[in-house]
Amino acid sequence: ELGTFFIKEGKTVSIKIDNLSEKGLIAADAVRLSRTFSPMDLPESKGRVAGDFVIGNNYPNPFNNQTVIPLYLSHRAEIQIEIFDVSGRRVLLLPKQSFAAGHHQLKVEATHLSSGLYFYVLRIKGQKQQQRMHVGKFVVLK
């Protein structure tokens, strides 16, 4: 069956390939195995994470109008997102928002952006006014 399959950590998985072709040929046009990490999977009982935050990959990506950036904060923090086109021009500056410690989903609306590759800069100002930065990319398809 075609699709994307997610396997939880610690589980064993086997991949079975059946030869259903009359000529005895097996062909695959694409197989990709990857390990992804989502901060939404962090158990609450683990407490503090190494560092002040964990940022997951935005999804969906590519997207049409909206994408979500999963985020885990170990402390209250102020977040601001800037979006740049491939020429380096800032095309969107979202207002600063304050978030409590815990899991969050940052929604980025891109209804006014045209199709293309964009980069986002997530600025996080946490305890003791320390500022950290994360850079990611996404594709808008209209």
Side-chain angles (χ1 to χ4, degrees), residues 26-100:
I26 299 172
D29 62 353
V31 175
R32 184 174 87 180
L33 302 174
S34 62
R35 179 181 175 161
T36 59
F37 172 76
S38 169
M40 299 307 151
D41 294 335
L42 290 174
E44 296 292 337
S45 61
K46 277 198 174 180
R48 228 183 119 86
V49 218
D52 295 332
F53 61 90
V54 178
I55 299 174
N57 292 327
N58 65 294
Y59 65 90
N61 191 16
F63 67 99
N64 186 332
N65 291 324
Q66 182 181 2
T67 190
V68 174
I69 303 170
L71 171 69
Y72 175 82
L73 298 170
S74 62
H75 297 92
R76 173 172 289 285
E78 192 175 79
I79 308 284
Q80 185 167 37
I81 300 175
E82 293 178 275
I83 299 175
F84 298 88
D85 64 15
V86 291
S87 300
R89 290 182 304 232
R90 184 169 69 188
V91 295
L92 184 61
L93 174 64
L94 299 175
K96 291 179 185 176
Q97 289 184 286
S98 184
F99 290 91

